[in-house]
Amino acid sequence: MTAGYVATILAAGSTTLLLALSSLLVATLLGLAAAFATLSGSQTLRRIAGVYTFVIRGIPDLVVMLLIYYSLPALLNQLTDTLGWDMRVEFSPIIAGVLTLGLIFGAYMTETFKSALQNIMKGQIEAAIAYGLSRRRLFLRIMLPQLVRLALPGFTNNWLVLAKATALVSLIGLQDVMFRAKGAAEATGKPFTFYLVAAGFYLVVTILSIALLSWLARRFELGTKELAP
Amino acid sequence: MNWDVIVENLGLYAEGAKLTLLLAAASLALSFVLALPLAFARNSASPLLRYTVLAYTLVFRGTPLLVQLFLIYFGLAQFELVRSSLLWPWLSSPLVCVLLAFVLNSTAYSTEIFAGGLRHIPAGEIEAARAYGMSPWTRGRRILVPAMLTRSLPLYGNEMIMMLHATSLASTVTLLEITGVARMITLNYYVQFEPYVTAAAIYLAMTFALVTGFQLVQRRFAGYLENRIG
């Protein structure tokens, strides 16, 4: 019986990983956009990015999630009511989860990408412009490869925190590892056993991620160490 | 918009804010005291000690705080031995469980932060202390601990903010800190927007105050490191 419950919990690992990876994608795109915005010449863009990172990093993850899952639809529904439209806005737990984690970790990624972009040597960008590279090529050929290397340590950290933060989404009803563990704990009266299984799942994800990403970091650092002064 | 509900319940938010600050301060204070010796153990010459501390920090940093909290609050009741023990009146209280989980978690993070700070102390400073004939105890008290703490300040500031935010998880085990109060008001009045926005605003103000205060501390104690390379 216990084995059956363990299998159900671990099967929900795919939901947890789906949530984590989708959130990571959203966070990376948002973080890149906001990092370019903070370094851009436009003051408005800089302000928007500044307010975004400040506000999001000032509020606990759980509260951001409750805001997106409960408060945002309530606000939107009030809005549609006043406008006389006949529609109800409601998010599914997975959508609310991806939005929440994407938004939160987008703010952390912004800082990571910002400092990485600032650490790309200016001379290389100037050289690329002098060679007449288009903006797109400048980004893809010169900036992106260095960005990956420079941002990887921060990116790794953010991912490790994100993977664990997915457990919060079980609180709004997403059937992830944590949610199934809670179910098994309540059904059997063995909470310690099943929460320990969940803990083991997250620990394995963490250890595998560290192994994979540090291997990647070593690959991307090939050739840079010897050249450094 | 229905802000009257919030105004009526401002007293509850004040109580919640008090509990939030109490939880954060107590967890940080206790974990600080525990993390100092553990940081030295983490860098100890004995592999057994080093790896034991590493195993502890890896497990507590590698699993979600929510899982740790549930393991302690719901999980411990599974064992007859715990339920019949003298500690049970404490271990069945949500406040004690929350503090236990927070302290264990924050100690793991703080240990790694301090251990990193310890590794970054230039060897020359330690050699100089030795050359002056300081005993290991004096060396630790006068040189290693202050140098370790100043070098850990930026990361420890982040940990303090993380801890402040982590206290919101206490609402999942019935405690009425800020998030718990907001949740209760949404359930009692059936308004979804205002209570959480108010909670978010309070956390934002607290974070801002913490960050500002921390920058002052940093300038006072670690200012001398700013223009130094290495």
Side-chain angles (χ1 to χ4, degrees), chain A residues 15 36 44 58 65 83 101 131 146 187 194:
Chain A
T15 310
F36 276 106
T44 330
M65 186 179 79
L83 291 171
L101 296 175
Y131 268 105
Q146 303 197 57
F194 293 112

Side-chain angles (χ1 to χ4, degrees), chain A residues 50-172:
Chain A
V51 169
Y52 160 60
T53 53
F54 174 73
V55 169
I56 291 293
R57 300 198 311 162
I59 306 174
D61 302 2
L62 176 61
V63 178
V64 176
M65 186 179 79
L66 296 173
L67 278 171
I68 288 182
Y69 189 64
Y70 293 112
S71 304
L72 187 61
L75 182 72
L76 292 175
N77 285 330
Q78 244 173 22
L79 210 68
T80 52
D81 281 350
T82 13
L83 291 171
W85 296 352
D86 185 29
M87 60 182 278
R88 309 281 316 154
V89 185
E90 210 178 27
F91 294 134
S92 67
I94 182 97
I95 297 293
V98 171
L99 273 178
T100 305
L101 296 175
L103 208 59
I104 294 171
F105 287 91
Y108 290 100
M109 290 291 188
T110 305
E111 297 301 315
T112 305
F113 291 140
K114 190 182 109 190
S115 64
L117 282 173
Q118 282 170 330
N119 282 326
I120 294 178
M121 271 185 271
K122 255 212 155 87
Q124 300 211 2
I125 295 171
E126 283 163 4
I129 294 172
Y131 268 105
L133 258 65
S134 67
R135 286 175 74 98
R136 211 171 63 108
R137 285 197 141 200
L138 167 68
F139 178 71
L140 288 178
R141 291 275 177 87
I142 310 295
M143 294 171 82
L144 195 60
Q146 303 197 57
L147 190 64
V148 173
R149 173 171 60 84
L150 292 167
L152 206 54
F155 184 88
T156 306
N157 259 339
N158 290 339
W159 159 253
L160 293 175
V161 182
L162 192 161
K164 286 180 287 163
T166 56
L168 284 182
V169 186
S170 69
L171 295 174
I172 55 170

Side-chain angles (χ1 to χ4, degrees), chain B residues 103-175:
Chain B
V103 168
L104 283 172
N105 186 270
S106 182
T107 303
Y109 282 95
S110 307
T111 300
E112 285 299 330
I113 292 170
F114 293 155
L118 202 56
R119 278 191 289 269
H120 280 106
I121 300 176
E125 287 188 24
I126 302 167
E127 283 163 6
R130 268 200 201 145
Y132 268 104
M134 287 186 185
S135 70
W137 173 249
T138 317
R139 204 157 65 219
R141 195 166 46 88
R142 294 253 189 97
I143 310 294
L144 293 177
V145 171
M148 167 177 96
L149 291 181
T150 44
R151 268 159 235 272
S152 313
L153 268 181
L155 283 175
Y156 193 67
N158 279 344
E159 170 58 22
M160 287 173 82
I161 295 169
M162 287 289 177
M163 196 61 246
L164 174 69
H165 290 175
T167 57
S168 64
L169 291 184
S171 65
T172 61
V173 293
T174 72
L175 287 187

Side-chain angles (χ1 to χ4, degrees), chain A residues 54-63 66-67 70-72 74-75 78 108 160-161 163-165 167-168 170-171 178 182 189-196 198-200 202-204 206-207 210, chain B residues 1-2 58-67 70-72 74-79 109 161-162 164-166 168-172 179 183 192-194 196-197 199-201 203-205 207-208:
Chain A
F54 174 73
V55 169
I56 291 293
R57 300 198 311 162
I59 306 174
D61 302 2
L62 176 61
V63 178
L66 296 173
L67 278 171
Y70 293 112
S71 304
L72 187 61
L75 182 72
Q78 244 173 22
Y108 290 100
L160 293 175
V161 182
K164 286 180 287 163
L168 284 182
S170 69
L171 295 174
M178 190 60 191
K182 196 177 172 67
K190 286 188 194 159
F192 198 86
T193 314
F194 293 112
Y195 286 127
L196 204 60
Y202 290 104
L203 192 59
V204 168
T206 300
I207 292 173
I210 293 176
Chain B
M1 290 290 131
N2 188 359
L58 183 67
V59 166
F60 278 86
R61 293 174 351 130
T63 55
L65 177 56
L66 187 67
V67 179
F70 281 13
L71 265 172
I72 293 172
F74 298 113
L76 289 181
Q78 182 177 330
F79 304 107
Y109 282 95
I161 295 169
M162 287 289 177
L164 174 69
H165 290 175
S168 64
L169 291 184
S171 65
T172 61
T179 312
R183 182 135 196 78
Q192 303 282 11
F193 182 74
E194 297 82 352
Y196 291 130
V197 172
Y203 282 114
L204 200 57
T207 310
F208 183 69

